[in-house]
Amino acid sequence: MVRVSYSQSLALVATGFAIHTSAHVQDTTPYLFPYESNPLTDTSLKDLIKSSGASTKTKFFNFDKGEGSKKERLKSGSCKVFPGDAAWPSQAVWGDFSKLLGGALIETIPIAAPCYENLGVFDTEKCAAIRENWADPYLHESDPTSVFFPIYQGRSCMPTDDPTSSNCTLGGFPVYSVNVSNVQQIQLAINFARNANLRLVIKNTGHDYLGKSNGAGALSIWTHNLKDMTFYPELTIHGYSGPALKIGAGVTVREMYAKAHEHEVSALGGICESVGYAGGYIAGGGHTPLSGLYGMAADHVMALEVVTADGRFITASPTENPDLFWALRGGGGATYGVVTSVITRVHPKTPVVTSQFTLSTSANVSTETFWEGLRSYFEHFIPFTDAGTYSWWTLMTTTGKDFTFTMDPFFAPNHTIESFNALVKLWFDRLTELKIPFTPNTKFHSAFYPAYNATWGSDPTLSSGGSVSYVPGNYILPRKNWESPSLFNATFSTIYNHSTSGRLLFGYHQAPRNRANVDNAVNPAFRHAISFLILSAGLPGSVVNNTPSVSQIKNATDDLINNILPAFRAVAPETEQGQGGSYLNEANADQPNWQASFYGEKNYARLLKIKNRYDPLHVFYAPTAVGSEGWEVRDGEQGAQTQNGRLCRL
């Protein structure tokens, strides 16, 4: 096994891409990447163990035989094996595991360890670089265990300018990671975790709001270096015939966008460039700037390759393991297996009009006038979404009386400058009538990727990592709240009250609906959505020297859970009738009623059955993942539910 420092971890991802292009392909093609082409079987596993020179008992690495005795692990009070326990694997066992992996096992050194003296890796220059680049998403992505939201890791090794102020510890970081380069390594990791009763986590990019990529005492499967992509100009599969992309588990949204643009097609991804496409993004459903034309990204997935909890490598598609196929498209990540690749439809080259501008209060624009102009924008969400458009905006205030609204951007696919101007005319005329100054920077782009690059792709703050400045949450608002005047008034009043209380608000107008007419596990709230709001409770201080305090985090969490979210839930309950909910990928780990809010009432019961079928021993766990209500992380009081503690059954 190896120990990897910050500088060494950066080199792990400098392997580039393996890009393939195939001509017309029929259903009979296996569609496997080279790293998927030789999965372990019972026979090949025995041969591998023999050839590796493993000296310990092979029981740790065998496939699941369906032993009923292991069901005792699910008894109340039982815990995953933790470092220091008598059952924790010996160094000899870990050594054999490393041999079987071909040296891919990494012992965790927290990314900010060079800022501390206690681990023997103190380095002032490296620490300065880490502190300077702490918000850079690629700093965290290139590390085997670092994540974007350290609050949920336990903040046990934050960058500091005082190396003797405290010690750097693992906290919620896993003990070991597997730097995956082939499916066999994933199979071995799952077998080992299951047989040794270890906690298992999965990390791709670490772009994770809830702590799903963390776990104290865990073994982590790091998929970020599975960068293969294949473009099919004409793929015939499961009743579809047309262009498609096969995407490796480690490919990011920007990488996928660039490959699609190279072949003059459009792919569906999110606005943050560093998000991993085939992992949590698709597992959460995947809202996208092209949702007004095509719906959710998960709606266009045609097949997935996956390693399940028994260690077997299988395909999930409409014809193979169809229940798993249903669950993997929207039913949450780190729950049913480890996805190694995804095949998705892609779409024609799409022109886009973007428009960016700012509205604000001033000496000439009163608070009342500003809110009249903003209300006009919200009043037009139905025609805006009916026209297939999407937006990303921020609403900021420092006092609750001065406001700045930034449209960044209004995104109009399949529009011309003329059709865009006609669409927004009533709103813009109202702003002019109110004498609210604004200067739209409206541009036509010949394709999606240039439009993306000119807007979200040029905004580094969208994907910034390492933040401890706020506690995250979100809420999805339904179209019916715009169709009813009384519900609209109540909804807009809630937004007004939220902002005038001094809170930051981010949001979208978007309406994914079910434009592809598919059946999958996407949260039904997205099928009715017309707006998606990013909510938060702010925290004081900066990341340096490990601020804020536990009590401040607790107060912010309580504010989000007890005040902010309930206000929006009151106007759009998390029920089939209310059609409200939250996007599970950008939600809060302490959110109550998450089963209905993140998955939908009916979906959740079906998902739980699928979870228990494919993972009866609950090898996979993540906070707010399906089935996680049967577990607790014993992390003490850290102000929020972290992963810095032992995982045990309730």
Side-chain angles (χ1 to χ4, degrees):
M1 71 188 71
V2 294
R3 289 169 64 90
V4 179
S5 67
Y6 157 67
S7 57
Q8 291 171 321
S9 72
L10 293 178
L12 286 172
V13 294
T15 55
F17 306 124
I19 305 296
H20 316 282
T21 303
S22 297
H24 187 274
V25 182
Q26 297 292 334
D27 277 339
T28 54
T29 303
Y31 314 119
L32 296 180
F33 286 136
Y35 67 77
E36 299 172 315
S37 61
N38 190 29
L40 290 172
T41 63
D42 291 280
T43 300
S44 63
L45 176 59
K46 289 180 182 178
D47 292 341
L48 176 64
I49 292 172
K50 184 177 181 180
S51 65
S52 72
S55 59
T56 56
K57 295 180 180 179
T58 61
K59 66 177 183 179
F60 286 109
F61 312 113
N62 290 332
F63 288 109
D64 187 14
K65 304 299 183 182
E67 299 98 329
S69 61
K70 291 179 181 176
K71 284 287 187 179
E72 67 187 24
R73 298 176 179 180
L74 300 181
K75 291 181 179 179
S76 178
S78 63
C79 301
K80 296 287 187 178
V81 173
F82 201 74
D85 290 350
W88 182 257
S90 67
Q91 284 301 110
V93 172
W94 285 106
D96 282 344
F97 183 44
S98 182
K99 290 178 184 178
L100 291 171
L101 295 169
L105 188 65
I106 302 169
E107 186 175 0
T108 298
I109 298 178
I111 191 171
C115 296
Y116 295 82
E117 294 184 349
N118 69 299
L119 291 183
V121 294
F122 176 67
D123 188 308
T124 55
E125 290 185 4
K126 289 181 180 178
C127 177
I130 291 165
R131 290 176 57 203
E132 181 180 355
N133 295 289
W134 190 247
D136 183 347
Y138 296 106
L139 172 70
H140 302 280
E141 291 189 14
S142 64
D143 184 85
T145 58
S146 190
V147 292
F148 279 51
F149 273 82
I151 286 174
Y152 302 102
Q153 180 272 338
R155 299 182 298 151
S156 68
C157 190
M158 296 290 288
T160 180
D161 57 6
D162 185 355
T164 62
S165 61
S166 62
N167 288 334
C168 169
T169 64
L170 289 185
F173 288 130
V175 180
Y176 294 99
S177 297
V178 179
N179 181 24
V180 172
S181 59
N182 59 58
V183 161
Q184 298 98 310
Q185 292 166 333
I186 298 175
Q187 293 177 283
L188 286 165
I190 291 175
N191 284 350
F192 185 38
R194 184 190 62 252
N195 293 328
N197 196 25
L198 304 177
R199 183 171 180 185
L200 184 67
V201 298
I202 306 163
K203 183 197 170 186
N204 179 5
T205 65
H207 193 112
D208 170 25
Y209 287 59
L210 298 95
K212 293 184 177 183
S213 300
N214 287 142
L219 172 65
S220 175
I221 295 173
W222 188 34
T223 63
H224 190 51
N225 294 313
L226 300 179
K227 294 285 193 179
D228 291 32
M229 285 189 281
T230 299
F231 175 69
Y232 297 103
E234 187 71 18
L235 177 67
T236 300
I237 181 173
H238 307 308
Y240 169 78
S241 184
L245 275 172
K246 180 176 169 71
I247 300 165
V251 173
T252 63
V253 164
R254 178 178 280 280
E255 292 160 355
M256 180 189 65
Y257 284 160
K259 180 49 52 179
H261 184 65
E262 177 185 328
H263 292 281
E264 298 192 323
V265 293
S266 301
L268 305 185
I271 68 173
C272 294
E273 65 174 71
S274 59
V275 166
Y277 172 83
Y281 176 73
I282 286 297
H287 70 95
T288 167
L290 294 178
S291 62
L293 301 182
Y294 302 112
M296 303 288 281
D299 297 343
H300 298 269
V301 169
M302 297 180 290
L304 308 95
E305 305 300 334
V306 58
V307 183
T308 47
D310 57 3
R312 304 295 181 177
F313 179 60
I314 65 174
T315 298
S317 74
T319 57
E320 298 178 81
N321 306 295
D323 53 348
L324 184 62
F325 179 62
W326 182 85
L328 290 172
R329 297 171 299 143
T335 304
Y336 316 97
V338 179
V339 171
T340 63
S341 66
V342 168
I343 297 177
T344 183
R345 293 190 290 260
V346 290
H347 307 279
K349 182 178 178 180
T350 305
V352 178
V353 171
T354 62
S355 191
Q356 296 164 286
F357 50 91
T358 298
L359 314 175
S360 62
T361 53
S362 67
N364 298 317
V365 178
S366 67
T367 298
E368 181 181 355
T369 299
F370 171 87
W371 279 97
E372 286 187 45
L374 194 59
R375 181 184 176 99
S376 180
Y377 166 55
F378 279 81
E379 288 173 339
H380 287 88
F381 276 17
I382 288 178
F384 288 167
T385 54
D386 284 350
T389 68
Y390 183 95
S391 69
W392 167 248
W393 48 264
T394 62
L395 179 56
M396 303 183 69
T397 180
T398 56
T399 65
K401 296 180 180 179
D402 61 318
F403 299 93
T404 299
F405 174 85
T406 303
M407 178 64 75
D408 198 24
F410 197 119
F411 199 83
N414 265 357
H415 278 267
T416 63
I417 294 288
E418 293 73 21
S419 67
F420 171 79
N421 286 338
L423 179 65
V424 299
K425 185 177 187 304
L426 290 177
W427 178 32
F428 284 7
D429 284 351
R430 178 60 174 153
L431 295 176
T432 301
E433 178 187 345
L434 291 167
K435 297 182 180 179
I436 299 175
F438 67 107
T439 306
N441 180 15
T442 303
K443 295 181 179 179
F444 176 82
H445 309 268
S446 61
F448 171 83
Y449 192 47
Y452 176 84
N453 277 333
T455 53
W456 298 297
S458 62
D459 182 358
T461 64
L462 274 178
S463 292
S464 60
S467 175
V468 291
S469 61
Y470 65 95
V471 172
N474 71 78
Y475 213 76
I476 301 167
L477 295 171
R479 180 185 175 109
K480 76 181 186 67
N481 283 36
W482 269 250
E483 294 173 332
S484 161
S486 61
L487 278 176
F488 177 79
N489 287 336
T491 301
F492 192 73
S493 291
T494 302
I495 292 166
Y496 174 85
N497 292 336
H498 177 89
S499 187
T500 54
S501 68
R503 295 185 172 106
L504 179 66
L505 183 64
F506 297 88
Y508 307 77
H509 75 251
Q510 60 168 291
R513 303 177 190 166
N514 191 352
R515 299 178 189 273
N517 193 29
V518 297
D519 179 22
N520 59 27
V522 166
N523 187 343
F526 270 118
R527 305 307 189 189
H528 305 285
I530 199 168
S531 183
F532 173 42
L533 302 179
I534 304 298
L535 309 168
S536 63
L539 290 166
S542 66
V543 299
V544 176
N545 298 331
N546 205 18
T547 55
S549 68
V550 168
S551 62
Q552 288 168 330
I553 293 175
K554 186 177 188 307
N555 289 340
T557 300
D558 289 346
D559 187 29
L560 181 80
I561 299 302
N562 299 325
N563 300 318
I564 296 174
L565 286 170
F568 289 93
R569 191 177 298 120
V571 296
E574 297 151 327
T575 63
E576 288 186 64
Q577 294 75 31
Q579 300 172 3
S582 293
Y583 182 38
L584 64 88
N585 278 342
E586 299 177 25
N588 190 274
D590 290 286
Q591 192 163 331
N593 196 35
W594 53 264
Q595 293 92 335
S597 185
F598 298 0
Y599 301 95
E601 294 173 303
K602 289 185 176 179
N603 277 5
Y604 192 80
R606 182 177 175 185
L607 287 166
L608 187 58
K609 289 180 180 179
I610 295 169
K611 165 70 174 178
N612 289 330
R613 176 186 175 190
Y614 285 91
D615 186 15
L617 296 176
H618 286 224
V619 174
F620 300 108
Y621 164 87
T624 72
V626 172
S628 63
E629 63 267 42
W631 298 86
E632 66 174 353
V633 176
R634 297 177 179 174
D635 63 342
E637 180 53 70
Q638 301 195 39
Q641 177 60 69
T642 76
Q643 299 309 302
N644 185 11
R646 186 186 291 260
L647 179 63
C648 301
R649 290 291 288 180
L650 290 169

